[in-house]
Amino acid sequence: MKKILIWGAGKTAKELISLNINAVIIGIVETYKRNDEFMGVPVFGSDELPTDFDYILIASIHTIEIYQRIQKLKINIDKTIFWKFCPFYDPRTNIKEIREVLGDGSFQYYCNEYKLIDESSFHRDKELYRLMNTRPNFQIDEKYLWPIIGDKYKSAGTVSNYFWQDLWAAKLIYQRKPQVHYDIGSRLDGFIAHLLSYGVSVKMIDIRSFPTVIDGLETILDDAMTLHQFEDNSIDSLSALCSLEHFGLGRYGDPINPEACFVCFEAIKRKLKIGGHVYLSLPVGRERVEFNAHRVFYVQTIIDSFSELKLVEFAYTAEGKLEMEEDFHKYDEDIHDGEYRYGLFHFVK
């Protein structure tokens, strides 16, 4: 079996390893080493690679940055396999060995990334179907082909951090049964759908246009930074799940304003009535702005920003799990590798 290094120590690497690649993993590579081991395998910095490997398998979404790093370190590009799409990489180089190293499951993912239909199992499966089919109306007609090559080894669904944050907040709100719930920019097809299915009336404000009219949902197309649409001390129940961290960065057409999210924090406190509840989800870890995607906060920053309110419940959602934690500093040094952690905050005024 080939000996490989896996470049990446995050969600993508875990996904790849779970597909049982057909090679011996002798080490994990981090661009800038932060850990000593990952999933029981030793970790190397990109500038201290062992020499006894056959391939480096890139298992990260940051493919352009890694490609540039490989060029800088003068690593033989023919000995690399970019499992996620990289625009500078030729996926057909050494394709037979790549198929052997990856094994059938992860090779199908690879083919999907680079639209390699002919190299995938598609034609093999098509011919097997033709041999087995006896129904004239369901014979394969080439003009109706619709190749799907990325689903063959996928699990039955995804339980993500968004799944847990939406469920966490929706359950808490349903238990209170507010007459009207207000929301700032949360997911229509997750959290808001949960509330509507519970029969909760929702008023939602977002700077982006809404796709359609939905029973039980009143939409307000506007900037939510100051919540000028509502009177002070008027809101009993309000949420903002993975939305406030984007304010003021221009990503969604909003004006550039480095203080925008903090201005909104103050507005939320003004608009809540005494006894009103607010439910927040925000990326947490080592504090920074990743322009123009979002900000990442220390948990303590959010708690301090809402110090006039009482923190009723706190949790993390991380790596597809809900963590009911009281350690506000657990992820203070986390800088992730495509795997964000979210802090879930339930405050009452």
Side-chain angles (χ1 to χ4, degrees), residues 198-338:
Y198 284 146
V200 177
S201 295
V202 179
K203 292 186 178 182
M204 183 178 184
I205 181 171
D206 202 305
I207 199 168
R208 300 165 295 183
S209 60
F210 291 90
T212 189
V213 175
I214 303 171
D215 289 344
L217 176 64
E218 180 182 332
T219 57
I220 303 169
L221 182 61
D222 203 351
D223 186 348
M225 183 174 70
T226 63
L227 297 177
H228 65 88
Q229 306 86 351
F230 311 112
E231 295 181 2
D232 290 355
N233 303 302
S234 66
I235 294 177
D236 175 60
S237 184
L238 183 144
S239 58
L241 306 186
C242 283
S243 55
L244 303 184
E245 66 268 24
H246 305 297
F247 280 26
L249 303 183
R251 175 176 171 179
Y252 294 110
D254 50 323
I256 298 297
N257 184 346
E259 291 297 307
C261 64
F262 298 100
V263 171
C264 191
F265 293 167
E266 295 300 315
I268 288 171
K269 291 185 289 186
R270 289 198 311 273
K271 302 305 176 179
L272 277 181
K273 62 171 61 172
I274 299 298
H277 292 246
V278 60
Y279 311 87
L280 303 176
S281 175
L282 294 151
V284 295
R286 185 181 296 177
E287 199 154 71
R288 61 199 184 274
V289 60
E290 296 185 336
F291 194 86
N292 65 348
H294 48 235
R295 300 172 185 83
V296 179
F297 301 89
Y298 289 133
V299 171
Q300 194 64 52
T301 296
I302 304 304
I303 293 173
D304 291 345
S305 295
F306 289 88
S307 59
E308 302 94 324
L309 278 58
K310 178 182 178 182
L311 181 62
V312 179
E313 184 173 309
F314 173 74
Y316 294 107
T317 178
E319 298 184 4
K321 297 178 182 178
L322 186 66
E323 302 176 0
M324 305 302 295
E325 278 277 353
E326 294 184 359
D327 181 1
F328 300 148
H329 303 287
K330 181 176 181 178
Y331 292 114
D332 277 3
E333 294 306 311
D334 181 63
I335 58 173
H336 80 83
D337 183 12

Side-chain angles (χ1 to χ4, degrees), residues 132-188:
M132 296 176 65
N133 179 56
T134 60
R135 295 178 181 270
N137 284 355
F138 292 96
Q139 291 179 356
I140 291 176
D141 187 327
E142 295 289 322
K143 69 183 178 186
Y144 294 128
L145 293 181
W146 190 332
I148 304 292
I149 60 176
D151 293 344
K152 197 176 186 72
Y153 293 94
K154 280 186 176 179
S155 60
T158 300
V159 179
S160 66
N161 293 341
Y162 285 137
F163 172 90
W164 287 114
Q165 74 165 22
D166 293 350
L167 198 59
W168 171 84
K171 282 183 174 181
L172 291 175
I173 293 164
Y174 176 68
Q175 288 168 5
R176 287 195 67 238
K177 296 182 174 62
Q179 186 174 359
V180 178
H181 178 75
Y182 295 82
D183 180 78
I184 304 171
S186 301
R187 288 205 312 164
L188 272 174

Side-chain angles (χ1 to χ4, degrees), residues 54-225:
D54 296 298
Y55 283 98
I56 302 176
L57 184 45
I58 315 300
S60 169
I61 61 174
H62 305 292
T63 57
I64 294 176
E65 295 92 328
I66 292 174
Y67 183 89
Q68 291 170 341
R69 182 71 173 168
I70 286 171
Q71 295 289 304
K72 182 178 180 179
L73 294 172
K74 294 181 168 48
I75 297 170
N76 184 357
I77 196 68
D78 289 341
K79 291 298 182 180
T80 61
I81 302 171
F82 281 80
W83 195 54
K84 292 292 185 179
F85 179 78
C86 178
F88 311 121
Y89 167 74
D90 182 356
R92 289 185 170 86
T93 301
N94 302 325
I95 190 68
K96 289 184 179 179
E97 282 202 358
I98 290 173
R99 184 197 301 270
E100 176 189 342
V101 167
L102 291 179
D104 198 38
S106 55
F107 184 69
Q108 290 300 314
Y109 277 66
Y110 179 84
C111 290
N112 187 58
E113 283 292 305
Y114 295 100
K115 311 306 177 191
L116 304 178
I117 294 173
D118 290 344
E119 288 81 2
S120 75
S121 64
F122 176 75
H123 292 297
R124 182 185 66 202
D125 290 349
K126 182 179 70 171
E127 291 310 309
L128 181 60
Y129 180 94
R130 275 183 167 149
L131 290 171
M132 296 176 65
N133 179 56
T134 60
R135 295 178 181 270
N137 284 355
F138 292 96
Q139 291 179 356
I140 291 176
D141 187 327
E142 295 289 322
K143 69 183 178 186
Y144 294 128
L145 293 181
W146 190 332
I148 304 292
I149 60 176
D151 293 344
K152 197 176 186 72
Y153 293 94
K154 280 186 176 179
S155 60
T158 300
V159 179
S160 66
N161 293 341
Y162 285 137
F163 172 90
W164 287 114
Q165 74 165 22
D166 293 350
L167 198 59
W168 171 84
K171 282 183 174 181
L172 291 175
I173 293 164
Y174 176 68
Q175 288 168 5
R176 287 195 67 238
K177 296 182 174 62
Q179 186 174 359
V180 178
H181 178 75
Y182 295 82
D183 180 78
I184 304 171
S186 301
R187 288 205 312 164
L188 272 174
D189 61 345
F191 172 63
I192 300 301
H194 290 333
L195 293 182
L196 296 177
S197 68
Y198 284 146
V200 177
S201 295
V202 179
K203 292 186 178 182
M204 183 178 184
I205 181 171
D206 202 305
I207 199 168
R208 300 165 295 183
S209 60
F210 291 90
T212 189
V213 175
I214 303 171
D215 289 344
L217 176 64
E218 180 182 332
T219 57
I220 303 169
L221 182 61
D222 203 351
D223 186 348
M225 183 174 70

